[in-house]
Amino acid sequence: MRIILGVTGGIAAYKAADLARSLVRDGHEVQAVLTRSAEEFVSPTTFAALTGRKVLTNLFEPSAAIEHIDLAQANDLLLVAPATANILAEFAHGLAGGFLSTLYLAFRGPVILAPAMNTNMWEHEATRANMETLRRRGHVIVEPGVGLLACGTFGAGRLAENDGILDAVRKTLNPGVRDLEGETILITAGPTQEPIDPVRFISNRSSGKMGYALAEAALDRGARVILVSGPVALDPPRGAEVVRVRTAVEMRDAVFLHLEPATAIIKCAAVADFRPAAPARQKIKKKGAPATLELEPVGDILAELGRTRGERLLVGFAAETENVLAYALRKLEEKNCDMIVANRVGGEGAGFESDTNEVLLVMRGGVVVEVPRAPKREIADRILGQMIRLRRTAGVTR
Ligand code: CTP
């Protein structure tokens, strides 16, 4: 496909060089357009070398006089990364002062914008109103992440990771892409419940939302999905083959019973590590109840899968409150996984019960991808995207 990559002036402009390279690697023809302020941060020569094309920078060069119209007609997608507050304002209001904003007005195809700016500028009412206008116009916005910004403040405004931008490009160019056709993905979701007596149990805060979002995303991308689910209050996505379980032992048995057709396994469930050693057969009465509860360990399903998975891709989760990366790396190794999705739990807007999540994807081979806070469905697509990449790059074949 033919893509116009607009680069505007911000510290994050250097990241656009890598983006250009990835787009070219993915087989696209990339035409870079740098605004005047972008040139303060990066050199057109870099982009010319990476894309193999002359970089356009100024509307008023004689040869560029009608170039914006030709370009607008010849390209399939306009991607602006990073997009400054200024270019977003120009786009929102239809100003045509520079080459990129003029090109924007002449362009009729899909537009993807990846904003990056200081937190206060991002949160300013003017920027918010401009974003609203651009969203309503149907443009795809790759939300900026939260983090330490170049200006020294901490907050929203950091350019989204290139992986997220590339996923948006892929999705925009191939809506309804079915890149998991032929895969059978076994997904576990939700908590387990370990009975103490017939009415009480030990469990955890897992809502099942992440696992169900994964199931939905995998189905949309053409996979067959076997969803082994602990007790949750969610409707399973249409098309999933659902196996309902309650305890960790039931989950283990269900996983191994349905393992055979699976080409990939995602162990999203929050499985108990311990269970009451001797659950009472009758309801324990207040009077005379033991003061302590004896627990026994439950086998680790993921570790067992790590030993027996064969050629299947294996993705585990790690719910951590501290040392997220270090623990994730250890679990990746110890449980012989291809990827660990490390979940920071306990914070706001992430982990159990929340509709959003922020995770680290820790991959075999040492690659770590940080996925900033996003709806769980978006996180699910990022996980699946990385799984496909793992398959391609490391030759994990079926
Ligand atoms: N898991 C599992 N079976 C268990 C416990 C955990 O399959 N009995 C899986 C989970 O589904 C998850 C991964 O192991 O994919 C990590 O779970 P987590 O609770 O984060 O880690 P633990 O292995 O239990 O380690 P720790 O308690 O030290 O954090």
Side-chain angles (χ1 to χ4, degrees):
M1 292 283 189
R2 303 182 66 174
I3 298 176
I4 302 165
L5 172 62
V7 182
T8 66
I11 302 283
Y14 74 93
K15 294 186 183 166
D18 208 34
L19 199 55
R21 187 178 26 208
S22 300
L23 290 169
V24 170
R25 188 201 54 205
D26 288 351
H28 301 296
E29 288 178 33
V30 179
Q31 172 64 63
V33 177
L34 267 58
T35 60
R36 207 188 293 270
S37 62
E39 284 188 76
E40 301 287 329
F41 293 89
V42 286
S43 148
T45 321
T46 309
F47 287 87
L50 291 170
T51 61
R53 250 162 237 276
K54 179 171 164 270
V55 174
L56 296 166
T57 53
N58 190 346
L59 178 59
F60 304 106
E61 273 174 26
S63 70
I66 52 161
E67 214 152 2
H68 65 281
I69 305 289
D70 291 347
L71 266 185
Q73 282 166 357
N75 279 278
D76 303 297
L77 176 78
L78 171 61
L79 164 66
V80 184
T84 54
N86 184 64
I87 202 78
L88 295 170
E90 287 188 20
F91 285 3
H93 296 280
L95 301 176
F99 189 87
L100 187 57
S101 45
T102 311
L103 174 62
Y104 167 78
L105 283 183
F107 188 65
R108 286 285 162 271
V111 176
I112 301 179
L113 304 168
M117 67 196 73
N118 153 279
T119 306
N120 287 346
M121 292 169 74
W122 174 243
E123 287 173 354
H124 195 284
E125 218 178 299
T127 307
R128 293 226 303 256
N130 289 337
M131 293 312 298
E132 189 48 40
T133 304
L134 295 166
R135 258 189 214 104
R136 247 186 290 122
R137 222 170 266 165
H139 300 339
V140 176
I141 313 295
V142 188
E143 297 284 332
V146 175
L148 188 62
L149 303 179
C151 54
T153 54
F154 187 87
R158 197 168 69 161
L159 181 68
E161 294 299 323
N162 281 352
D163 272 342
I165 299 172
L166 292 169
D167 273 352
V169 168
R170 184 183 48 74
K171 255 191 259 165
T172 305
L173 291 175
N174 314 295
V177 61
R178 292 175 71 79
D179 50 7
L180 288 175
E181 204 110 45
E183 300 272 351
T184 298
I185 307 192
L186 178 63
I187 299 173
T188 70
T192 63
Q193 293 178 353
E194 309 303 324
I196 299 170
D197 70 14
V199 296
R200 303 181 180 95
F201 55 79
I202 297 177
S203 191
N204 58 62
R205 291 185 183 281
S206 170
S207 61
K209 285 177 187 165
M210 191 65 240
Y212 277 54
L214 275 162
E216 184 186 88
L219 285 161
D220 285 352
R221 293 164 80 144
R224 173 185 170 198
V225 170
I226 302 169
L227 179 60
V228 177
S229 176
V232 296
L234 300 170
D235 288 329
R238 192 200 302 251
E241 296 160 45
V242 186
V243 185
R244 290 180 205 279
V245 298
R246 194 164 285 279
T247 66
V249 169
E250 284 172 21
M251 183 168 279
R252 186 222 163 262
D253 291 347
V255 164
F256 283 93
L257 187 66
H258 294 89
L259 186 61
E260 209 272 315
T263 56
I265 307 151
I266 309 179
K267 279 241 65 234
C268 188
V271 190
D273 292 324
F274 296 95
R275 63 177 186 181
R281 234 170 281 156
Q282 305 301 333
K283 184 183 166 202
I284 300 171
K285 305 304 278 181
K286 201 162 40 235
K287 259 197 205 128
T292 54
L293 190 60
E294 197 179 323
L295 301 179
E296 65 181 17
V298 178
D300 188 315
I301 308 170
L302 185 58
E304 192 178 349
L305 283 167
R307 292 188 295 270
T308 54
R309 66 190 197 138
E311 298 289 292
R312 298 174 182 90
L313 263 184
L314 183 58
V315 177
F317 272 64
E320 309 290 356
T321 53
E322 55 176 357
N323 302 335
V324 180
L325 181 58
Y327 284 139
L329 282 166
R330 194 195 296 169
K331 282 176 191 173
L332 184 77
E333 187 75 17
E334 285 177 358
K335 304 194 187 192
N336 188 27
C337 294
D338 296 297
M339 187 199 306
I340 290 284
V341 181
N343 230 318
R344 215 179 299 266
V345 290
E348 193 192 309
F352 293 166
E353 293 170 327
S354 176
D355 288 325
T356 57
N357 210 353
E358 52 182 296
V359 297
L360 283 183
L361 306 183
V362 182
M363 255 85 61
R364 172 170 45 71
V367 178
V368 177
V369 174
E370 191 181 342
V371 187
R373 186 180 306 177
K376 283 185 170 169
R377 171 59 204 254
E378 252 177 77
I379 303 272
D381 271 305
R382 296 292 301 281
I383 295 169
L384 295 174
Q386 286 298 340
M387 283 173 63
I388 291 164
R389 237 162 260 163
L390 271 177
R391 254 231 211 290
R392 279 200 211 121
T393 54
V396 179
T397 49
R398 278 170 285 138

